[in-house]
Amino acid sequence: MTAQTFDEVVLGRRSIRGYLDKSVPRELVEEILTLAMRAPTSMNTQPWHFHVITGEPLDRIRNGNTQRILAGEPDSREFRRGEPFAGVHRERQVEVAKQLFSAMGIARDDTAARQDWVLRGFRQFDAPVCVIVTYDRELAGSDDTAFDCGAVTTALVNAAWSRGLGCVINSQGIMQSPVVREHAGIPDGQVIMKAVALGWPDPDFPANAVVSRKRCFQATWACGKSSSIRDAG
């Protein structure tokens, strides 16, 4: 595989929601996580833990998640989510959903197909690998910790993409946290933050071609007279 530049990785990466039925070598996963752990953290706290799940334990999580959600079990995710999205944030959420449903040919009134799509998230998108990101419970009151876990997760998905692998960061896969804790062997002293599905992208899965539209560059500048940045106009 030809090495990608940093720009090629960042600009080319997209969320992958369909995977080939092909295992990922353990050595490659370890290489990706080692790269991800170069992410910066607040005061070098490095608060994250990775739990890599494959095979039968992952199948048990998929089945447990699906059975509990279909039975109406309440959400038991462990991180703070705040209020439902509104305004422009809700608009962006709806926009990407429309892109995905259009790519998959799921009509607005096709309830069965929509439910099947949602259940894919609880099944970790049928990926061969799931990485659960956790942090120590003693840090639960720190916003820096959540920020740092986000940084390492971003580094993880970019490192995977640079090696030809795809990922999608999702919360549905950890919605039923007791199931995840049991089958991933996560200690009580850790908080479950996010799930990352990982595997070889299926080139024939329509949703994998979807690229979410990003905002145009915007920044507020405050430059003193000694700044090396000059106004071109």
Side-chain angles (χ1 to χ4, degrees), residues 11-105:
L11 295 174
R13 189 211 62 80
R14 57 189 179 276
S15 292
I16 298 300
R17 297 174 173 87
Y19 298 88
L20 296 175
D21 184 13
K22 178 182 175 182
S23 63
V24 180
R26 177 171 180 159
E27 295 77 12
L28 184 53
V29 176
E30 291 176 347
E31 180 181 326
I32 288 166
L33 294 178
T34 300
L35 280 173
M37 289 173 63
R38 297 297 301 169
T41 60
S42 174
M43 294 171 282
N44 196 37
T45 50
Q46 303 179 59
W48 51 69
H49 302 277
F50 300 115
H51 301 266
V52 182
I53 309 129
T54 64
E56 290 184 7
L58 182 52
D59 287 338
R60 290 195 289 269
I61 290 175
R62 297 190 219 275
N63 293 334
N65 280 347
T66 302
Q67 291 172 9
R68 286 170 67 100
I69 198 65
L70 290 175
E73 289 287 339
D75 180 349
S76 57
R77 282 178 279 192
E78 298 178 3
F79 58 89
R80 295 180 299 172
R81 287 176 294 152
E83 297 299 320
F85 295 141
V88 67
H89 306 102
R90 173 61 178 168
E91 291 171 8
R92 292 175 187 143
Q93 180 187 22
V94 170
E95 180 184 34
V96 75
K98 288 180 176 178
Q99 287 180 265
L100 291 167
F101 287 154
S102 176
M104 296 299 296

Side-chain angles (χ1 to χ4, degrees), residues 47-51 76-81 131-142 145-146 149 153 174 177-178 180-181 185-195:
W48 51 69
H49 302 277
F50 300 115
H51 301 266
S76 57
R77 282 178 279 192
E78 298 178 3
F79 58 89
R80 295 180 299 172
R81 287 176 294 152
V131 180
I132 305 294
V133 182
T134 69
Y135 59 86
D136 292 328
R137 196 173 296 279
E138 63 194 59
L139 301 172
S142 166
T145 296
C149 286
T153 304
I174 53 173
S177 61
V180 178
R181 280 194 175 279
I186 296 174
D188 291 339
Q190 295 177 22
V191 176
I192 299 173
M193 183 71 188
K194 284 290 180 182

